[in-house]
Amino acid sequence: MSLSTQDLSVGYHGKAIVKEVSFELPKGKIIALLGPNGCGKSTLLKAMARILKPMTGQVFWNDQDLHQMPSRQLSKELALLPQTQPIPEGVKVKDLVAYGRSPYTGFWGRLNKEDNRIINDVMAQVGITELGEQLVSELSGGQRQRAWLAMTLAQDTPYLLLDEPTTYMDLSHQVELMQTLRKLNSSGKTIITVLHDINQAARYCDHLIVMKDGEIITQGEPENVLTQDMLKTVFSLNAQIHRDPIANTPMCVVE
Amino acid sequence: MSLKTWPLLLVILSLLLVANLMFGAVSISFEGILNGFQADSEHYFTVYEYRFPRTLLAMMVGAMMALAGALVQGVIRNPLASPDVLGVSHGAGLAAVTYMTLFPTSDIAWLPAMALLGGFSAAFILWWLCGNHSSAIKLAITGVALGALYASTVDFLMLVKPLEINNALLWLTGSLWGRGWNQFFILLPWLGLIPIALWLAKSLNLISLGDDSAISLGVNANTLRLTSLAVAVGLTASCVAICGPIGFLGLVAPHLTRKLVGGQHQILLPCTMLVGAILLLFADLVARTIDPPIELSAGIMTAIIGAPYFLWLLFKNK
């Protein structure tokens, strides 16, 4: 399995947001996409999730053009947690999570034993077991985000694409989510996530990809990527790099 | 919840079905109804030739309009959406009124065909203006604007051709008056759209999570939207062709059903058809029995129920 792009340009209304990007996602890692607002990180993620079609270039899944592959087959390989989620009316949390099994069920969506086992597992994993009978519309922002994450996990894919998954969460749920991602990663999933918090990315992710103006500026391990120079050129920030006293990962402190 | 709702809806529907056969300008006993299906009965004409086909039609039209509404609400992701919003009903109405006023001497049997043509033309114009990839809200706003245009054109036609106004008015309020086996058999083939709609149920669940999630779960969002809307237009236009635009059914029935059984389309779609059938049967029963032998049109009754419901929805959603 591999996910890569070749000279990929993608954008909206004929205007390229991501410009001729070529890269390969390191398999089996947690990868963070970083960059200032409007740099194209979400757009790049959407192109890899086949939401957006390339203007030029390609996205490859196992050396095949991703956008030419059957959608149902891909739905068993790649799962996406979008940045904003509409609230489906009159749908219980348990049913929402069950929708994640759609790639595997028949035309009427009937669930078998295995489906139900996976649904219960992922709900326990993100800690929403007791919310199962509640309506999605009644949840708080953080609970809703976790319910959607469970739905995405129920899709049971080797690759997981997340667009700012921590946005609506308080700090303790953010930490919980990042730890859940680590656990999922150690069970073999490749995870790529758009993040805003650079220190969070440096602490929990193996590989950082930094973008600016639609291009990848630098990528690699947090040790090598998180530098004073990078923060200056990409984020226009004067910052110092220190050691996280607990995880011993690099972290930035703004001057 | 749905386990209890199903049989309840079926019981209400059966009771209304019997009531619709029993009551009207003349009341007939339950026994009389049963005998009425035999050709030698004194009630044969009233029951079998008059009330029975009309009752069946009311059930079919109610179910189909409600289903069309559920499909449109499903893909537009807005509980205020309905085939009325897409301008389909008014398009069908305009075509029919144009036909009646401009060619007053022509054969009335062509009316359904004209309405159908108008309904599909309205949908096609909407699609031509909005294109394949337009947002749900753009589609809805354009639809409402076009619908208003068609409705005012109808008003204009009726003003400049006041002599033919009676026929048109009767038809425009949506009525089951004088509809019988003929209309029943015209509508019958259109029931074939129902299995197609049910086949879309699983994908409609996923599109309610937004396009991005739906695509990621393997749904082709644009194809689904186009198919659903095409089926909804077919259902609506065929019903409008038979009974005229019966307002608010496509809006109220799915919304009410969502409150009763939730938003999963495998349950929602069948139940909304039951609710739609119940609503129209009830509306027609009241319309026929409120002041016999004079009949109101069922469309007025559904509007009396539907318009306040629509306003309540509007204010609640603010």
Side-chain angles (χ1 to χ4, degrees):
Chain A
M1 275 172 290
S2 71
L3 190 57
S4 60
T5 69
Q6 179 73 48
D7 299 327
L8 176 72
S9 294
V10 59
Y12 300 93
H13 310 298
K15 188 169 174 281
I17 309 286
V18 171
K19 295 160 193 157
E20 294 181 10
V21 165
S22 302
F23 77 111
E24 181 167 352
L25 284 179
K27 189 172 172 285
K29 298 255 165 78
I30 301 187
I31 305 128
L33 271 175
L34 299 169
N37 290 337
C39 71
K41 50 194 193 300
S42 284
T43 310
L44 179 59
L45 194 78
K46 280 185 184 170
M48 290 191 285
R50 72 194 186 280
I51 309 293
L52 295 174
K53 290 211 165 58
M55 296 160 73
T56 58
Q58 278 111 24
V59 180
F60 290 107
W61 172 256
N62 293 343
D63 303 323
Q64 278 193 64
D65 188 341
L66 178 100
H67 289 87
Q68 303 297 326
M69 290 175 67
S71 192
R72 189 160 163 115
Q73 185 194 334
L74 281 170
S75 65
K76 296 174 185 173
E77 314 278 9
L78 305 167
L80 170 77
L81 179 69
Q83 188 175 357
T84 51
Q85 302 120 6
I87 302 163
E89 255 198 273
V91 175
K92 288 180 193 160
V93 172
K94 205 181 58 189
D95 298 330
L96 173 72
V97 179
Y99 288 173
R101 296 303 296 161
S102 301
Y104 304 90
T105 57
F107 88 100
W108 197 244
R110 193 180 288 276
L111 303 168
N112 62 25
K113 248 188 206 157
E114 172 74 356
D115 294 322
N116 280 314
R117 186 187 63 76
I118 291 172
I119 291 163
N120 289 333
D121 280 0
V122 295
M123 284 176 72
Q125 212 167 2
V126 302
I128 54 164
T129 304
E130 69 284 1
L131 299 177
E133 291 300 313
Q134 279 194 41
L135 290 175
V136 177
S137 50
E138 292 167 350
L139 301 181
S140 72
Q143 288 173 327
R144 196 176 299 147
Q145 188 80 354
R146 282 187 286 153
W148 277 77
L149 178 66
M151 193 272 282
T152 315
L153 292 179
Q155 222 174 316
D156 195 22
T157 55
Y159 276 63
L160 200 55
L161 291 78
L162 311 169
D163 199 349
E164 295 187 27
T166 50
T167 307
Y168 299 99
M169 294 182 166
D170 59 34
L171 196 55
S172 75
H173 282 126
Q174 288 189 21
V175 171
E176 224 170 85
L177 175 87
M178 295 313 289
Q179 284 168 348
T180 309
L181 293 187
R182 283 239 71 111
K183 258 185 259 165
L184 289 166
N185 173 247
S186 59
S187 72
K189 276 189 205 297
T190 304
I191 297 166
I192 173 163
T193 174
V194 173
L195 285 177
H196 264 306
D197 188 331
I198 297 169
N199 290 335
Q200 208 168 44
R203 174 155 180 183
Y204 293 101
C205 300
D206 308 312
H207 189 94
L208 308 184
I209 298 175
V210 181
M211 293 183 70
K212 190 189 180 187
D213 297 331
E215 287 167 16
I216 292 179
I217 302 295
T218 173
Q219 58 170 318
E221 288 174 15
E223 293 290 341
N224 305 326
V225 169
L226 196 53
T227 61
Q228 236 169 342
D229 268 0
M230 186 277 282
L231 290 168
K232 182 78 193 151
T233 49
V234 176
F235 292 94
S236 318
L237 272 180
N238 292 316
Q240 298 175 7
I241 309 297
H242 293 275
R243 286 279 136 193
D244 179 320
I246 294 172
N248 200 32
T249 48
M251 59 183 273
C252 69
V253 179
V254 179
E255 277 171 8
Chain B
M1 183 149 65
S2 62
L3 286 178
K4 282 179 237 151
T5 315
W6 258 107
L8 184 69
L9 290 176
L10 276 176
V11 168
I12 297 174
L13 185 67
S14 319
L15 288 177
L16 275 171
L17 194 149
V18 174
N20 268 271
L21 292 178
M22 285 170 72
F23 303 116
V26 204
S27 289
I28 302 173
S29 69
F30 187 64
E31 225 168 287
I33 301 292
L34 292 180
N35 291 331
F37 285 93
Q38 259 105 49
D40 54 352
S41 162
E42 54 170 323
H43 298 306
Y44 179 74
F45 181 80
T46 317
V47 174
Y48 185 77
E49 289 292 340
Y50 182 72
R51 285 187 191 167
F52 188 53
R54 180 173 174 161
T55 304
L56 287 182
L57 257 182
M59 284 166 60
M60 277 159 63
V61 169
M64 289 165 79
M65 287 200 141
L67 183 61
L71 289 176
V72 173
Q73 288 179 11
V75 290
I76 297 203
R77 272 186 239 121
N78 186 336
L80 290 173
S82 75
D84 314 34
V85 168
L86 298 183
V88 172
S89 315
H90 288 301
L94 175 60
V97 172
T98 308
Y99 180 71
M100 278 189 280
T101 49
L102 294 187
F103 310 99
T105 53
S106 51
D107 192 354
I108 200 94
W110 281 97
L111 200 60
M114 293 310 293
L116 211 56
L117 194 69
F120 274 105
S121 306
F124 181 77
I125 290 170
L126 183 67
W127 175 77
W128 178 69
L129 283 174
C130 289
N132 228 342
H133 301 278
S134 63
S135 68
I137 193 72
K138 183 179 169 194
L139 206 66
I141 291 174
T142 316
V144 167
L146 286 174
L149 177 69
Y150 303 144
S152 49
T153 313
V154 167
D155 290 344
F156 172 76
L157 276 176
M158 301 211 303
L159 277 173
V160 295
K161 298 270 182 186
L163 283 182
E164 291 79 21
I165 203 169
N166 265 347
N167 247 342
L169 255 184
L170 189 68
W171 188 82
L172 270 179
T173 47
S175 170
L176 288 154
W177 177 79
R179 269 68 163 185
W181 287 117
N182 261 344
Q183 285 79 9
F184 174 82
F185 286 113
I186 293 173
L187 194 59
L188 201 58
W190 293 90
L191 291 182
L193 289 172
I194 293 175
I196 301 178
L198 292 179
W199 183 68
L200 298 172
K202 182 179 148 184
S203 304
L204 286 170
N205 285 342
L206 303 183
I207 204 90
S208 75
L209 309 180
D211 277 19
D212 291 2
S213 288
I215 292 170
S216 161
L217 286 162
V219 174
N220 188 331
N222 285 322
T223 310
L224 173 71
R225 201 166 295 128
L226 213 61
T227 318
S228 301
L229 292 180
V231 172
V233 168
L235 288 167
T236 309
S238 57
C239 287
V240 171
I242 300 296
C243 300
I246 293 180
F248 295 106
L249 254 186
L251 177 88
V252 174
H255 198 268
L256 207 59
T257 315
R258 205 173 282 114
K259 288 258 175 285
L260 286 173
V261 301
Q264 273 197 309
H265 286 80
Q266 292 95 327
I267 306 162
L268 179 69
L269 295 185
C271 281
T272 203
M273 288 197 282
L274 284 177
V275 170
I278 287 171
L279 286 178
L280 191 54
L281 268 187
F282 180 70
D284 195 40
L285 181 67
V286 174
R288 285 190 302 122
T289 53
I290 201 165
D291 187 21
I294 293 169
E295 284 192 14
L296 293 176
S297 63
I300 290 178
M301 296 312 300
T302 57
I304 287 173
I305 307 169
Y309 194 88
F310 182 76
L311 285 176
W312 173 75
L313 257 181
L314 205 63
F315 282 112
K316 204 193 63 159
N317 275 11
K318 258 183 178 174

